Amino acid sequence: MSVVSSEPLLSIVVPTYNTERYLEECLKSLATQESDRYEVIVVNDGSTDSSARIVEAFCKTNNHFRLVNKKNGGVSSARNRGILEARGEYVSFVDSDDCVAKEYVNTIVAAIAKTDHDIVVFGGRTFPRDKIADSKMNPAPITYVDNSVAAVLGERASRPFVHNKAYRRKLLCENEVFFDEEMTLGEDQLFQFCVFPYARRILFIPDSLYRYRCERKDSAMQRLSSESDEVLRHHCRMVSKILLWYKERFSPVDLDAVSDWSVNYLIPYFEAASYNVAAACAAELTSLLEEVGPCLNRGSWCHFSAIKELAESSCQEPLVSIVMPMYNAEKHLRQCLGSLREQTMKRFEVIVVDDGSTDNSCAVVEELSHEDRRFTLLRQEHGFAGRARNLGMEQARGEYLLFLDSDDFFSPDLLDHAFARAKAYDADICLFSANSFDHQTKKIGAMPWICRYELLPESPVFSRQTFSDNLYCITTPVPWNKLFRKSFVLSQGLLFQETRSANDMLFTLTALALADRITVLREDLVTYRINEGTSLQSTQDKDPFAFYQALCALQQSLKGRGLYEELKRPFVNFSLDCCIHNIRTMKTSDAYRRVYDFVKREGLAQLDILDKDDSWFYVYRNQNAERKRAMLLLEADEYKSKFGD
């Protein structure tokens, strides 16, 4: 039987709870230590398996071992009981599913004997190997004297683990540093932040003494690792306890340093969590940081500002309301909505209006709305995108409106940059650019016609009064590259037409005509999906005259508002280009001939195009003027053959 010295130098605390599968391997590694200056205190935390019997067998053959039984209270409770039971001058902790190197005790005892250190930090490795965990158990040899906060913040092996350290037991007991029994994740890291500042001398040695098992799936850490919301809650609780501990016990300088670490440490967990939980945690953390009043450095202040903005976004009105019509969009919806969740701006809402979908689109939105209250689902009977957008506008609370499509995806800076530009120039409308994503080839392409920079005026702000000729050719009627001031839209009574296609033309071009202040942001912020086959544009043959009806509605709107004569030339230019484009893009020969014959017979006259000579045209001047002349002379098939449509 092994004999322990009457006064062990090192007490090794091993908490165990239902670890019979690994316990014997752990205890064998401790029983075969060459030194006799240690004791092993196994704290059975109410196990219901054979763990206690395994420990009892070791106690009978090895006097280094003691078994302490207690009711189940968690690993922190078991470790605390071990600290109180310990007789050694130093105490270390070994988890019952891990093991140690044969030189574990001798190396620690030798390090203690050299100088009067309060904490000894040593190395270890994982099995199976985990590079991230290994990097946190790989200390560089160094000694810290009277600079312990720098040690806990700056040395990679200082945290989070407790199992690669030996602590002077007196340091723990006199300063009442114990494991927080309320914590089920992060208790090790919290413990380090609490005990390190009391240590006068801390020794780091590179010796690899600990063997950390990474394969268990039933541990608290493994259970929570995939639950981002719970992980954030636990880490915020841990950080809150650390900040309050430092405020009460240590200097403002130490509090500032730990506050910097806390803010930077939490950012990835905020980014991974759902909005609802992240916003709630952000509110609590913001309140605490403002209470303790640290002086943050520039980088930490930026992160704190982001956390504060997140907190405020949950209790303030949105700055931007995104209205998104949806019809059988399940295929691309997660990517679309995911790109909105990743926006750098937090104060927004997304109103998804389902237009009678028959797939699982609604379920996708409902699932998201449970995690992120900024997303709302409205439903209507199938009535097309225009009606859906009007319904969404009725519910919008934001200062600005943005109408996006459910099969596209977006730059994370979309809202932040577009809103900032609109506010900087007090704009009624802010235009921005886009690129395309070919669904078949997976390639990104340019879309210069969405926002034609070469036609823009020099002034950053313009309107029809200062820029009438090019007003309708600097962009297209699509609403998804334009941010609209909501008060402007409502005051002008602007609505989308409730048609299958071309429902946005009346809304967008009337808005451009009425806006007093328009500005342009020269950034590609939307990625527009093409060659997918389900967009309204790809099914326009089902309602081939929708574009013409929209042009007539725009014409009547401009006349009714007394703007037609002022905007007649840009209207005529846009109308001719629109007619040519829609004829060219009809998918079937029947639709092509019907639309061509109608435009030639009635449309050109109704839209005031027929009697205009070439001098009237400046949008794609040569091409469109030539096509207009040919249309007056040729039949549909001849025209199509001539221009290769």
Side-chain angles (χ1 to χ4, degrees):
M1 176 179 291
S2 299
V3 178
V4 63
S5 63
S6 57
E7 292 296 332
L9 182 62
L10 178 65
S11 294
I12 304 170
V13 176
V14 183
T16 184
Y17 177 72
N18 291 348
T19 55
E20 60 181 10
R21 178 181 174 187
Y22 311 101
L23 185 57
E24 187 169 354
E25 180 183 5
C26 171
L27 299 183
K28 280 183 178 179
S29 72
L30 293 169
T32 55
Q33 297 296 306
E34 297 175 353
S35 172
D36 64 351
R37 303 192 64 187
Y38 75 101
E39 64 173 350
V40 179
I41 304 167
V42 183
V43 182
N44 175 34
D45 192 36
S47 295
T48 57
D49 64 358
S50 62
S51 295
R53 292 193 296 275
I54 293 171
V55 180
E56 288 170 350
F58 272 85
C59 291
K60 289 178 181 179
T61 60
N62 194 316
N63 284 340
H64 288 287
F65 287 80
R66 278 196 288 147
L67 172 63
V68 176
N69 290 303
K70 63 181 286 295
K71 291 182 179 180
N72 180 251
V75 65
S76 292
S77 172
R79 286 170 175 167
N80 289 338
R81 179 67 178 273
I83 293 171
L84 297 176
E85 294 282 346
R87 296 183 295 122
E89 185 179 348
Y90 288 80
V91 60
S92 67
F93 302 92
V94 174
D95 289 346
S96 58
D97 57 344
D98 298 338
C99 53
V100 299
K102 63 181 181 180
E103 63 272 18
Y104 177 84
V105 173
N106 265 344
T107 304
I108 294 174
V109 168
I112 292 170
K114 285 182 180 179
T115 51
D116 191 27
H117 293 101
D118 295 310
I119 301 174
V120 176
V121 182
F122 46 87
R125 67 171 184 265
T126 57
F127 65 103
R129 300 303 292 267
D130 182 302
K131 291 183 179 180
I132 295 177
D134 283 345
S135 69
K136 297 176 181 178
M137 294 187 292
N138 184 28
I142 191 172
T143 298
Y144 280 78
V145 180
D146 295 329
N147 196 15
S148 53
V149 173
V152 75
L153 291 175
E155 293 298 325
R156 60 177 176 261
S158 293
R159 46 184 177 78
F161 300 127
V162 69
H163 51 240
N164 67 324
K165 298 170 185 71
Y167 308 87
R168 191 189 300 275
R169 184 165 61 91
K170 182 178 180 181
L171 187 76
L172 304 180
C173 295
E174 287 187 351
N175 293 292
E176 299 180 328
V177 179
F178 294 96
F179 290 90
D180 191 316
E181 298 180 16
E182 296 178 352
M183 300 289 294
T184 57
L185 181 69
E187 71 278 1
D188 282 18
Q189 186 145 239
L190 173 60
F191 184 81
Q192 312 308 334
F193 273 99
C194 290
V195 68
F196 263 66
Y198 289 112
R200 183 171 179 272
R201 296 179 63 88
I202 303 172
L203 175 66
F204 291 79
I205 59 175
D207 304 69
S208 180
L209 305 178
Y210 198 86
R211 304 295 178 259
Y212 178 62
R213 188 185 302 272
C214 287
E215 64 186 4
R216 281 187 65 197
K217 302 301 181 187
D218 57 338
S219 67
M221 183 178 295
Q222 290 288 349
R223 286 197 307 273
L224 286 168
S225 64
S226 61
E227 301 171 8
S228 299
D229 287 352
E230 282 304 303
V231 169
L232 175 61
R233 289 191 182 102
H234 280 279
H235 284 306
C236 282
R237 192 177 303 124
M238 175 194 72
V239 163
S240 297
K241 290 175 179 286
I242 291 172
L243 292 175
L244 290 173
W245 182 269
Y246 275 70
K247 181 188 178 185
E248 294 170 358
R249 300 187 178 219
F250 303 113
S251 72
V253 173
D254 291 339
L255 176 60
D256 290 347
V258 172
S259 298
D260 281 329
W261 170 84
S262 299
V263 171
N264 296 324
Y265 172 78
L266 287 174
I267 284 294
Y269 299 104
F270 275 109
E271 292 174 345
S274 71
Y275 172 81
N276 291 350
V277 171
C281 291
E284 294 177 5
L285 181 64
T286 298
S287 177
L288 177 60
L289 285 169
E290 290 177 342
E291 175 189 342
V292 301
C295 181
L296 300 174
N297 65 33
R298 177 178 294 182
S300 302
W301 180 256
C302 290
H303 284 156
F304 172 65
S305 297
I307 293 172
K308 187 175 182 180
E309 180 186 357
L310 176 61
E312 291 173 345
S313 72
S314 66
C315 56
Q316 294 180 339
E317 289 294 291
L319 299 174
V320 178
S321 292
I322 300 168
V323 177
M324 180 178 292
M326 175 182 75
Y327 179 71
N328 289 348
E330 178 186 6
K331 185 176 181 181
H332 306 298
L333 191 57
R334 293 185 186 277
Q335 181 184 20
C336 170
L337 299 179
S339 67
L340 292 176
R341 290 189 72 183
E342 295 172 1
Q343 291 296 302
T344 53
M345 173 189 281
K346 303 305 178 186
R347 287 180 59 187
F348 67 90
E349 65 175 349
V350 180
I351 303 169
V352 181
V353 185
D354 178 60
D355 188 37
S357 294
T358 57
D359 65 357
N360 291 320
S361 296
C362 289
V364 172
V365 180
E366 286 175 338
E367 178 185 350
L368 176 57
S369 66
H370 290 316
E371 300 177 358
D372 194 330
R373 57 178 171 268
R374 296 174 299 179
F375 290 76
T376 302
L377 175 64
L378 303 180
R379 300 172 189 259
Q380 67 175 28
E381 293 184 1
H382 190 47
F384 306 117
R387 181 184 297 176
R389 287 169 175 152
N390 292 336
L391 177 59
M393 267 200 293
E394 292 177 5
Q395 305 296 322
R397 298 178 293 124
E399 183 179 352
Y400 280 82
L401 298 169
L402 181 59
F403 302 94
L404 299 178
D405 289 347
S406 56
D407 56 350
D408 298 335
F409 51 100
F410 317 102
S411 164
D413 296 322
L414 166 60
L415 301 182
D416 212 352
H417 289 192
F419 180 81
R421 178 76 180 189
K423 292 295 287 184
Y425 291 97
D426 190 27
D428 296 318
I429 303 174
C430 175
L431 311 180
F432 43 87
S433 194
N435 50 36
S436 64
F437 174 76
D438 191 307
H439 185 71
Q440 302 301 321
T441 66
K442 312 303 180 186
K443 292 182 178 179
I444 297 292
M447 300 181 72
W449 58 90
I450 290 295
C451 195
R452 296 181 62 185
Y453 299 149
E454 74 278 9
L455 298 180
L456 292 175
E458 294 182 2
S459 171
V461 179
F462 57 91
S463 67
R464 75 171 192 280
Q465 292 94 336
T466 61
F467 189 66
S468 62
D469 275 1
N470 285 331
L471 188 64
Y472 286 166
C473 59
I474 58 169
T475 186
T476 71
V478 297
W480 43 257
N481 75 319
K482 302 168 183 72
L483 191 68
F484 300 89
R485 198 200 309 261
K486 186 179 72 173
S487 60
F488 159 71
V489 171
L490 296 180
S491 67
Q492 298 295 343
L494 299 178
L495 292 172
F496 290 87
Q497 288 184 283
E498 298 184 3
T499 55
R500 174 185 288 273
S501 59
N503 60 73
D504 46 16
M505 186 187 299
L506 174 64
F507 179 93
T508 302
L509 299 189
T510 303
L512 288 173
L514 294 170
D516 290 326
R517 300 181 65 81
I518 303 170
T519 192
V520 175
L521 176 62
R522 296 177 183 240
E523 294 183 29
D524 295 338
L525 298 177
V526 172
T527 302
Y528 176 72
R529 194 180 300 272
I530 61 174
N531 287 340
E532 202 278 332
T534 59
S535 68
L536 289 176
Q537 288 80 359
S538 67
T539 60
Q540 64 177 334
D541 286 27
K542 294 179 180 179
D543 190 4
F545 293 98
F547 80 92
Y548 176 77
Q549 294 162 358
L551 286 172
C552 291
L554 175 61
Q555 186 180 48
Q556 292 306 310
S557 174
L558 295 177
K559 288 180 178 180
R561 296 174 184 270
L563 300 175
Y564 185 65
E565 292 303 319
E566 182 180 353
L567 294 174
K568 192 172 187 177
R569 193 173 185 219
F571 173 81
V572 168
N573 272 265
F574 173 79
S575 296
L576 176 59
D577 191 60
C578 186
C579 289
I580 291 171
H581 171 76
N582 278 273
I583 291 171
R584 185 174 66 244
T585 55
M586 290 295 159
K587 303 300 181 183
T588 66
S589 296
D590 178 66
Y592 187 100
R593 282 192 296 269
R594 289 169 57 206
V595 173
Y596 179 89
D597 290 343
F598 177 82
V599 170
K600 175 181 178 179
R601 185 177 65 252
E602 299 181 28
L604 295 180
Q606 175 63 42
L607 298 173
D608 283 339
I609 301 170
L610 183 62
D611 61 348
K612 303 301 185 292
D613 61 30
D614 289 3
S615 65
W616 260 76
F617 304 113
Y618 52 87
V619 180
Y620 308 113
R621 178 172 181 172
N622 294 334
Q623 175 183 314
N624 285 359
E626 180 186 2
R627 281 182 175 257
K628 181 216 168 188
R629 292 193 302 271
M631 194 179 299
L632 298 177
L633 299 173
L634 303 176
E635 296 302 317
D637 291 342
E638 295 173 317
Y639 178 92
K640 186 174 184 180
S641 176
K642 176 178 176 63
F643 292 105
D645 291 349

